[in-house]
Amino acid sequence: MIQRKLTLVMENKPGALARVVGLFHQRGYNIDSLHVDPIEDFEPFRFIEDELGIKFQVGEVSRLTIRTTVGDKLMRQILRQINKLIEVIAVSDDESTYLKGILRNENLL
Amino acid sequence: MKIAGNDILIQSLINEGVEYIFGYPGGAALHIYDSIFNQKEMQHILVRHEQGATHAADGYARATGKPGVVLVTSGPGATNAITGIATAFMDSIPMVVISGQVQSHLIGTDAFQETDMIGVSRPIVKHSFTVDKQENIAQIVKEAFHIATSGRQGPVVIDVPKDLTNPDELFDFNYPEKANIRSYNPPVKPENHQVSRAVDAILNAERPVIYAGGGTISSNASDELRELNELIDFPVTNTLMGLGVYPGTGKRFLGMLGMHGTYQANMAMHNADLIIAVGARFDDRITNTPEKFAPKAKVIHFDVDHSSVSKIIEADIAVFGQVKDSLKAINNHLRSRKDEINKEKLSPWHQQIREWKEKHGLDHELYKNDSDEHAILPQAAVQHIYQESEGKAFVTSDVGQHQMFAAQYYHFDEPRKWINSGGLGTMGFGLPSAMGVKLAYPEEEVICITGEGSIQMCIQELSTCSQYKLPIKIFNINNLALGMVKQWQDMNYDGRHSSISYEDSLPDFVGLAESYGHVGIKITKNSELKEGIAKAFAIKDKLVFVDIYVDPNEHVYPMLVAPNGSLKDMWLGKGEKT
């Protein structure tokens, strides 16, 4: 078990953060640390816009960083569960990124 | 045209084609109820408890494939709906639940009948919405129905503060044609390389099993599954949730698998070299100890939900997408390689399965013994119900021994005919879900097979059945105790029967049913069983409550040995193990 970092891009809507945090408790995972703020510089995230054919506006999306200590198999499960949350647009760990239905084998966030 | 928030909500539901809305009024929902009063397209069904509303909507959804719709008020109305929402969530049933909420300016003040419904329901919904302004109501309803009915289906809650349904404030109403949710994109079509890898594995298998679950039914993929089986002639087992997706009387059907699965189904899974999981999720009632599950098998997993694949059992080949599309792709691919299909090589495997079935298969002819020398066997009661209904009825069930007997002995030849709470295991589900089914299919026979424990958890709905004249048939498999708990206590707690009996406090069910205007029939002897059940089916225009007193000491077998057992480790009878 090692500490891993997860990065999420999600809609900045009321209750969205609670869904992510709630998921960890509900599925028995643990959060070591959590950081969230609205995205102001969209440059690093243009590929998401291109991939999903969408356009971000200022104030609409947040970036969330979570550190958690888990094994490989559980990490994969956490990623997939987070990807299922309706308000999450993209999520990655060190090795892979989910852009909703699309899985990439690298950390794009 | 300008209309008020309450009318926007109801008109949106009508635009979604909602026929029935199951609910219970209260303060925060009064504007919405006023709007229901003023329209004729949709019928409101007044239940007697909000749990009944959610189960009725759930039964409607399972039988029709269309989303069930529920309306409850804030506070206790909302919390009473929780068990039904969780039931739908665990079985991936499409449902939209609208809950009233206190006025926006009162939220967070502990106002009368205030509950944080979004917070309370969060872990048991696919998604939820709080209405923030009237202009967004139509869009939210559109999105809620889209989310509930697409991808892996599930319940969606819409929480509506009362002030946003105020009839005095008017807004433009245009129902959107599409829901565009940029952060929601469930997979639809499978990828070609996954399909061809799956086909390779299928063509190479010598001891294969198709293991099909509820996802196959949700995806309406029963025809595609049957086509696949025509092509390759593999044995098929169904989960509790999947019964009917392959014909229960079909030539290659093994019966249900898992905790109370048939001997041949569990043995086939354990010894298989290829398991094709179709819309199934390797629940702990299926795998027994995961480390000991099917040690020689390669696993192909068809699912629409990424997170279900390799969650419990590692899949060697994963095919993501709607199961219907994936099976179509597999079938097309197989047809193009038809000359490589070798059904002959499966003969030893089919022979082995026949031997297992002959050795320890279920006895489906218990009903032929009508001697009064022994008590009524619950299995025989289910067999009689099957015979008398010609295997064609919709059957809802509750939770416990009667549920397992129904699953084992009623053969479902069509999907969506077997309606039960598989994942959450909710006692009280049977009667209200039967109401939903009967409303959807008034001409069809709808049966609820229940027990005297479960039926009392939502028995108030007998009154709803009376109001709406729902002539369902209730068969109460009455063993005078919480049978499944008792079975576990017999097997694991040296027969210490802790809190499983009601002593002499059971109601006279016949008298109770009659007090609601229904017909009651009591059966206590084997020799009365056939005639009593036939009499119930002969009554077409009234609800019939048949109270069948069965052997209180009967156990459900087979039963997997746990903990630490594999699928080949089963109890086959009292004191008899594999």
Side-chain angles (χ1 to χ4, degrees), chain B residues 226 238 243-255 357 364 386 408 410-414:
Chain B
R226 292 170 192 214
N238 287 164
L243 293 174
V245 77
Y246 183 81
T249 54
K251 180 175 156 206
R252 292 295 176 217
F253 191 55
L254 299 169
K357 192 174 173 182
H364 291 285
Y386 174 70
Q408 289 176 331
Y410 199 105
H411 310 294
F412 295 92
D413 283 337
E414 297 297 329

Side-chain angles (χ1 to χ4, degrees), chain A:
Chain A
M1 300 238 290
I2 52 165
Q3 194 182 59
R4 297 152 193 272
K5 190 176 86 171
L6 278 158
T7 309
L8 286 75
V9 174
M10 59 191 298
E11 300 284 4
N12 183 9
K13 286 188 178 167
L17 177 63
R19 287 184 215 278
V20 178
V21 175
L23 179 77
F24 273 75
H25 176 69
Q26 192 187 321
R27 299 267 171 193
Y29 322 142
N30 197 31
I31 293 179
D32 296 339
S33 77
L34 181 147
H35 184 87
V36 55
D37 40 24
I39 296 174
E40 281 161 9
D41 174 13
F42 287 112
E43 266 324 303
F45 304 103
R46 292 291 175 213
F47 74 96
I48 301 178
E49 293 184 319
D50 296 343
E51 195 81 59
L52 300 179
I54 58 178
K55 197 80 193 148
F56 294 137
Q57 305 290 330
V58 176
E60 270 183 1
V61 280
S62 296
R63 176 199 175 102
L64 195 75
T65 311
I66 298 175
R67 287 177 200 280
T68 179
T69 306
V70 290
D72 286 342
K73 189 175 175 188
L74 191 54
M75 191 66 222
R76 186 180 63 194
Q77 183 62 14
I78 293 175
L79 266 186
R80 288 175 172 185
Q81 291 291 352
I82 291 178
N83 182 50
K84 253 168 74 172
L85 294 174
I86 308 287
E87 285 151 344
V88 172
I89 298 168
V91 55
S92 76
D93 66 358
D94 291 339
E95 287 153 15
S96 52
T97 305
Y98 272 100
L99 293 159
K100 295 322 292 188
I102 309 159
L103 173 65
R104 291 290 163 75
N105 293 322
E106 56 184 318
N107 178 7
L108 299 170
L109 301 177

Side-chain angles (χ1 to χ4, degrees), chain B residues 206-240:
Chain B
E206 287 175 9
R207 298 187 314 280
V209 181
I210 296 176
Y211 145 59
T216 325
I217 296 178
S218 304
S219 186
N220 293 318
S222 180
D223 289 346
E224 287 75 10
L225 184 82
R226 292 170 192 214
E227 254 173 59
L228 171 66
N229 203 255
E230 286 285 305
L231 284 165
I232 57 179
D233 201 32
F234 285 4
V236 181
T237 180
N238 287 164
T239 67
L240 179 66

